[in-house]
Every structure is written in structure tokens, then in C-alpha cells.
Amino acid sequence: MYSKPELLLLSHVGRGAASVADLCTATGLSKVQVYRTVASLDKKGAVRLDSGGVAVRDQAHLYALMNVMHDSASAVTLLAGNGLDVVKELREPRTARDVSQRLGVSQRTVSRSIKGMMNVGMLSKDGDTYTINARMWPELPPLADRYADYAESFDERVPIGSRIYRKSKGSVVFSNDRDLCFTKTAFSRFEEYGIGIYLDTHYYCDLAGPPTVGEIISHCLDVISVERNWRLRMMALIFYKKHRDGSEIVTHPMIAELEQVLRTKVGKVEGWIPLREMQERAEMYGVDLYDD
């Protein structure tokens, strides 16, 4: 997530270097390099340039990160690149292979990071699994937890302040209160298909063109996998049922749960209101949830 120059700059900001001139002196970077690094950190929501001074944004993981780097100069090198992500994954005991698969990077890269961290006692080892050594590095577990929370809610492809529901190398689905120049998807597309719904936010994806019905359904399921909102779940089910028998096949981990809800004629599935209550709303759009 953060390059070595970015962490170096953050570590010196944490030690009180605020102006560009101070940072040039402290880091050994040129003025151009400092401005470039600040711009990169700004894009990641970490700092802002304010009247010639660099100020850290109010992010819990950044304060925890600066604390760790303040206590150890080696942390700048070890946490740079994929290092911080490796630490995040090692909040629980995992093998290098497990971490590699979870991060989508080579096992060689992960092993190199782990070796460096082991050399300074940052990690402990049990067999072929590794985990954070909280006894020697007590500030590391809080950093890993806060960084994990941040990683779930941040992606360079979307504006700061968005809520992210799914992200991968190929796609991202998110919501934002503002009307943005991104492709609308999920519930924000329902009006086009004759299903009126009041929304207090907009739902977006990074597709170049309009999403297909199958993609709209899939993105709705991404949202309700995170948002345990009964109203959104009901509307997603109605839209799914209306288009379920179309030509496009939708694959998503929540499809089985939707089918279970449709089969449960009496009682209810945990996390959902009873089918009969949702049917009352479905009838407004000519959809029969009981018709199977």
C-alpha cells in the first residue's frame, strides 16, 4: 500500500517535520520528490498539503503506523510495499503460501517480507505458520487491526468517503452520497426496470458502460452482503425474482440464500423479513414471489 519514500515521509511528519523544506532535509529527498510523494499520499487519503506544510489526515491507522515507525527505524523498510499487508494477514497464524494467496502476490515476495520481519522479532513462528509477535512489538497488533479496517474501506479507484462493497483487481462496487461521474449500478438502476425505490445514496461500479441485468443483480448482492438492511434485501429479492428466469445466469455466493428465502413460504430466514410481507411490496411491481 505504501512505498518506502511514502513511509519515510510519514515517519518524519510524525516526528514533527511539517514543511516541504524540513522534509527535504530529514528524508534526503529532493523538493520534486517530496512533492511527488505528498501527491501520492494525498491520493491515498493519508496527507494534505496545507499552506506549504504537510498535515496527516485523521486516520486511525496512520497514527498507529507512525507510532510503530517512531519506535523502530527498520519498520519503514519492512512495512513498505506489501509489508503492511503481510502484517495485516498475520493477525492470525498463516503460512507464507496462505498469505500469498490472500494477497494475490508471489510467495517469494511474501517470504522475503517474512524473513526480514523475523530478523527483527516482528513475527513469531510455529512450524510453518507465522503470526505477529505482540510481546516484542506491542504496537503492531493495533496497527494491523486499524489498517485492516482502512483497507476494507479504501480503494484508489474510488473517491474518499465512499463505502466499498466489493473490490478486486478487475472491479469495484461502492456507494457515495454525491452524484459522481461513475457508472451507476445495483439499486440505482431499478427505476429503469420499472421498480421505484427511494435511495439516500448512489451505488456505483467502475464498468465502462451500463451494467447488464445480471451485473445489477450481482452488485445488489454485494451490497446486501455488507448492509444488513431488510428493505434493501427485500428490493434485491424482488428484482432478482423478476429477472431470475432470464437468459443471463448470475453466480454469486448469496444466490443460494435468496433461493432459500423464496422456498420458505412459512416462517422466515434469519436476516430477512417473512416472504408474505415482501410479497405485498412485490405485487406493486407485478412480481409474484410465490410463483415457482
Side-chain angles (χ1 to χ4, degrees):
M1 174 57 75
Y2 299 109
S3 67
K4 187 173 179 179
E6 289 171 345
L7 289 187
L8 185 62
L9 188 146
L10 278 173
S11 70
H12 284 290
V13 171
R15 291 183 173 92
S19 71
V20 171
D22 288 342
L23 289 169
C24 288
T25 301
T27 63
L29 300 174
S30 69
K31 191 173 182 179
V32 171
Q33 290 174 315
V34 167
Y35 274 115
R36 186 184 299 129
T37 304
V38 169
S40 178
L41 286 169
D42 184 30
K43 186 177 180 182
K44 294 176 180 179
V47 303
R48 67 179 184 276
L49 194 59
D50 186 15
S51 300
V54 178
V56 176
R57 295 186 184 273
D58 190 16
Q59 300 270 9
H61 78 283
L62 293 175
Y63 296 113
L65 177 58
M66 288 188 293
N67 283 338
V68 170
M69 293 189 296
H70 185 271
D71 291 341
S72 172
S74 63
V76 171
T77 299
L78 295 172
L79 298 179
N82 293 305
L84 193 52
D85 289 300
V86 170
V87 168
K88 170 175 68 71
E89 294 302 326
L90 292 178
R91 291 175 295 158
E92 299 177 12
R94 290 193 171 101
T95 65
R97 183 180 180 184
D98 291 338
V99 175
S100 169
Q101 291 175 340
R102 289 175 66 87
L103 294 180
V105 299
S106 72
Q107 188 170 334
R108 182 178 180 181
T109 298
V110 170
S111 296
R112 190 184 307 118
S113 290
I114 288 175
K115 182 179 179 180
M117 294 175 187
M118 288 290 295
N119 287 339
V120 297
M122 193 176 279
L123 304 177
S124 58
K125 183 179 180 181
D126 182 9
D128 61 350
T129 64
Y130 302 87
T131 191
I132 295 171
N133 187 347
R135 289 185 63 186
M136 289 189 65
W137 288 73
E139 298 292 337
L140 207 52
L143 167 60
D145 289 337
R146 290 164 187 168
Y147 178 68
D149 291 339
Y150 164 77
E152 286 296 317
S153 61
F154 179 80
D155 190 286
E156 292 184 27
R157 293 168 291 183
V158 306
I160 296 172
S162 302
R163 176 148 198 199
I164 298 173
Y165 303 104
R166 183 184 74 190
K167 62 177 181 176
S168 64
K169 290 183 178 179
S171 66
V172 60
V173 178
F174 65 99
S175 65
N176 194 291
D177 294 344
R178 293 174 289 155
D179 198 359
L180 304 171
C181 293
F182 283 83
T183 300
K184 288 186 177 179
T185 189
F187 304 98
S188 293
R189 288 279 180 175
F190 278 21
E191 292 279 358
E192 300 171 28
Y193 295 88
I195 296 182
I197 178 173
Y198 171 78
L199 299 171
D200 57 5
T201 191
H202 303 283
Y203 296 92
Y204 298 100
C205 64
D206 62 346
L207 292 173
T212 64
V213 169
E215 287 168 333
I216 291 171
I217 293 172
S218 181
H219 295 164
C220 283
L221 300 185
D222 290 331
V223 173
I224 66 173
S225 296
V226 177
E227 302 269 15
R228 298 189 65 83
N229 180 307
W230 69 266
R231 178 171 166 270
L232 290 180
R233 289 189 163 216
M234 173 181 68
M235 298 307 295
L237 183 72
I238 292 170
F239 190 86
Y240 168 72
K241 182 60 167 62
K242 181 176 182 178
H243 298 281
R244 183 182 63 175
D245 298 326
S247 58
E248 189 173 2
I249 298 175
V250 180
T251 58
H252 192 282
M254 282 203 70
I255 290 293
E257 186 171 333
L258 265 63
E259 290 293 339
Q260 181 186 0
V261 172
L262 290 171
R263 290 194 303 269
T264 306
K265 312 296 185 183
V266 179
K268 68 173 186 174
V269 175
E270 183 180 355
W272 297 77
I273 61 174
L275 191 66
R276 58 181 172 77
E277 295 183 26
M278 291 189 282
Q279 173 61 23
E280 295 177 7
R281 184 63 178 268
E283 289 174 356
M284 297 172 56
Y285 311 111
V287 178
D288 188 352
L289 300 179
Y290 286 95
D291 181 24
D292 280 316

